[in-house]
Amino acid sequence: MEVILLGTAAGGGFPQWNCACALCARCHRGELPARSQESVAVSGNGSDWWLLNASPDIRTQLLATPALAPGPGPRDTPVRGVLLTDAEVDHALGLTVLRGGTGLTVHAAPPVRDALTADLPLRGLLDRYAPWQWRDSTVPGGFALAGGLSVTAHPVSAKPPKYAVGPDPDAPWVVAYRIEDAATGGALLYAPCLAAWPDGFDDLLSSASCALLDGTFFGADELGTAVRREDAGQPLMGHLPVAGPGGSLAALARHSGLRRIYTHLNNTNPLVDPASSEQAMLRKSGAEVLPDGSELLV
Ligand code: MLT
Ligand code: MN
Ligand code: ZN
């Protein structure tokens, strides 16, 4: 399966438009590579492509990616649809950019589909531009995607988006996807939003060949130290930190046979600096951070 990291930053991107923290300032000066908001493209056959989340930057990301160029007919596109891991603005708003695209299918968990019907009512809006298929991504047994991929969804957190009105605090708001290429047996585990290390997650990692994981925050006190002192001690907005005894990197050490890549990096995360000691430490542990546009074979 081909996997393209279209964007690798958390909501707001890097640099973030209203942030003058030390890292964003260095990015504005051209000293650090910019990152667009997190989104991925996958294909089992090189001609049918599926987007994993659709960020508000999707137009620029599509235009920068030759594999996703339109054609051969005047309105043909290799993009077949979108799999949403959650209903966050940075993962769903790109659907509005794709409006009018014919025959697209959106796979999402029921709370996500409902939030995009009522609280951020994109579904009705989009259907008035071109009818799309909306499918429950949590169907038992999973589902197949054109191009030879099979997918299962795994609830990983109950973190609702901020805009949700009266959200059910126990609903499976966030899922991870396990995407397998039937022809090669390669399997990608895609989990860009993890509030904690989920039950059963080690089993999922054991059956994958590559994992794309939530790298929003490097350290548990990051928002407090990087942005505003008064934020110190605030919970990290539903994202498990990378470092520290309870962080994801320590847990990933149990899976050394697996390619482990962090994505959805917040602008406060020192991993956005390729020369940082934090990135060196990550590489030493066998994990990676890659730039936008990186292509993988899984
Ligand atoms: C998140 O990942 O926690 C959200 O996307 C935050 C946001 O609204 O940008
Ligand atoms: Mn996000
Ligand atoms: Zn910043």
Side-chain angles (χ1 to χ4, degrees), residues 19 21 24 267:
C19 189
C21 75
C24 285
N267 68 83

Side-chain angles (χ1 to χ4, degrees), residues 48-281:
D48 297 292
W49 286 87
W50 294 87
L51 303 177
L52 310 181
N53 292 318
S55 97
D57 298 322
I58 195 70
R59 176 179 178 277
T60 314
Q61 294 167 342
L62 290 170
L63 294 180
T65 310
L68 303 175
R75 279 296 173 116
D76 290 345
T77 166
V79 177
R80 302 288 173 251
V82 182
L83 282 63
L84 297 174
T85 55
D86 51 71
E88 297 290 344
V89 168
D90 59 333
H91 279 160
L93 215 58
L95 294 176
T96 63
V97 177
L98 306 175
R99 68 191 179 283
T102 46
L104 298 191
T105 304
V106 180
H107 296 271
V112 170
R113 182 200 54 205
D114 294 348
L116 298 180
T117 305
D119 299 339
L120 179 65
L122 298 183
R123 189 175 170 188
L125 178 156
L126 291 164
D127 282 344
R128 290 192 286 278
Y129 285 84
W132 287 4
Q133 306 240 25
W134 289 74
R135 300 256 172 87
D136 177 1
S137 66
T138 62
V139 281
F143 54 98
L145 297 176
L149 302 176
S150 56
V151 183
T152 49
H154 306 271
V156 289
S157 123
K159 182 203 168 217
K162 255 189 197 172
Y163 67 77
V165 181
D168 176 352
D170 299 319
W173 281 99
V174 183
V175 302
Y177 288 112
R178 183 182 183 281
I179 304 171
E180 183 170 328
D181 183 331
T184 65
L188 173 73
L189 186 62
Y190 177 61
C193 186
L194 289 173
W197 195 255
D199 288 343
F201 203 61
D202 282 287
D203 291 339
L204 275 175
L205 286 167
S206 304
S207 78
S209 25
C210 179
L212 269 176
L213 296 170
D214 187 341
T216 310
F217 300 113
F218 187 76
D221 61 351
E222 189 172 307
L223 276 187
T225 56
V227 187
R228 291 198 305 266
R229 260 208 323 270
E230 62 266 35
D231 282 344
Q234 294 286 310
L236 282 177
M237 306 198 324
H239 295 283
L240 176 67
V242 171
S248 55
L249 193 61
L252 280 179
R254 299 193 285 271
H255 300 278
S256 56
L258 173 76
R259 188 157 187 199
R260 292 153 280 167
I261 300 162
Y262 281 106
T263 189
H264 194 271
L265 306 183
N266 197 53
N267 68 83
T268 52
N269 187 330
L271 293 174
V272 297
D273 178 359
S276 61
S277 57
E278 288 85 355
Q279 235 199 71
M281 188 262 245

Side-chain angles (χ1 to χ4, degrees), residues 10-20 24 28 266-267:
F14 180 63
Q16 183 171 304
W17 72 274
N18 60 348
C19 189
C24 285
H28 274 294
N266 197 53
N267 68 83

